[in-house]
Amino acid sequence: QKEVEQNSGPLSVPEGAIASLNCTYSDRGSQSFFWYRQYSGKSPELIMSIYSNGDKEDGRFTAQLNKASQYVSLLIRDSQPSDSATYLCAVIGDTGNQFYFGTGTSLTVIP
Amino acid sequence: DVKVTQSSRYLVKRTGEKVFLECVQDMDHENMFWYRQDPGLGLRLIYFSYDVKMKEKGDIPEGYSVSREKKERFSLILESASTNQTSMYLCASSLVRGGGTGELFFGEGSRLTVL
């Protein structure tokens, strides 16, 4: 069983602050990493993907990957109340056959 | 836009009933998946399929079966529903075999309650 670990939260940040979400994974052979956002009662939607070490920026979102430490993070700058959701970290294992998901971190942005 | 459609948003069944959850995707994706999502346990893979008539067990296949007779359709079957199968069921599809560098597209989910 591949493991993907996330802090369950809840994480609360004030509007305009930076939210930092963290994820570790056990399969050292993993190559592809994703962040999904899931609003209450809705299905997950992809917001970021990252495949190589370093940072990847997309608007207010930055994904960071450190394969040596088996660590991937998501930074949300200028957090908005609409960012309040559960964020799921997902990893494709070394066989390339399955997505493995963390249990998610609940984020609340306080106006 | 990719669309993954699950046939029922909400179902209430009785213990022992046979339950069918249908999923259809409209983007000719090869890969289709069934997950269940429970509070504190996250998304857990039940079954997946890379091709018509092909299926592979995920992490929690017990009590479930699947059918993929056509590329666009992937069905999850609970032969004899039990209360511990009360959950949110999510169907997903992806373009690249094994996910690759592609993304999973999810349906809206089917919330099943077994009484």
Side-chain angles (χ1 to χ4, degrees), chain A residues 55-69:
Chain A
D55 295 0
K56 179 181 178 182
E57 187 174 318
D58 184 0
R60 296 185 296 110
F61 298 96
T62 299
Q64 300 174 316
L65 175 61
N66 183 326
K67 290 185 178 180
S69 300

Side-chain angles (χ1 to χ4, degrees), chain A residues 32 34 49 51 92, chain B residues 96 99-103:
Chain A
S32 303
F34 306 88
S49 58
Y51 310 111
I92 294 180
Chain B
V96 179
T101 58
E103 65 176 285

Side-chain angles (χ1 to χ4, degrees), chain B residues 1-111:
Chain B
D1 283 349
V2 174
K3 191 166 181 63
V4 180
T5 303
Q6 295 184 230
S7 56
S8 303
R9 292 294 307 278
Y10 301 94
L11 302 95
V12 179
K13 299 292 183 180
R14 297 208 174 270
T15 300
E17 282 192 83
K18 191 169 187 175
V19 182
F20 292 88
L21 299 178
E22 303 283 336
C23 176
V24 178
Q25 50 94 3
D26 67 356
M27 284 300 291
D28 203 34
H29 284 177
E30 294 176 336
N31 311 313
M32 297 189 75
F33 305 80
W34 275 106
Y35 290 88
R36 64 177 282 178
Q37 186 173 33
D38 302 286
L41 297 177
L43 282 160
R44 294 181 292 168
L45 182 64
I46 305 171
Y47 268 97
F48 58 103
S49 169
Y50 293 140
D51 203 351
V52 175
K53 297 191 185 296
M54 178 275 176
K55 60 185 178 183
E56 287 198 28
K57 294 179 180 179
D59 297 320
I60 53 164
E62 296 79 17
Y64 303 94
S65 62
V66 291
S67 172
R68 192 161 182 203
E69 297 295 322
K70 293 184 177 181
K71 189 175 185 179
E72 68 270 18
R73 187 179 298 270
F74 192 36
S75 302
L76 180 69
I77 303 154
L78 288 66
E79 293 289 343
S80 178
S82 63
T83 55
N84 62 13
Q85 293 178 310
T86 292
S87 186
M88 170 68 83
Y89 290 87
L90 289 162
C91 175
S93 72
S94 70
L95 178 60
V96 179
R97 181 183 175 90
T101 58
E103 65 176 285
L104 280 178
F105 294 88
F106 285 90
E108 293 191 339
S110 298
R111 183 165 294 282

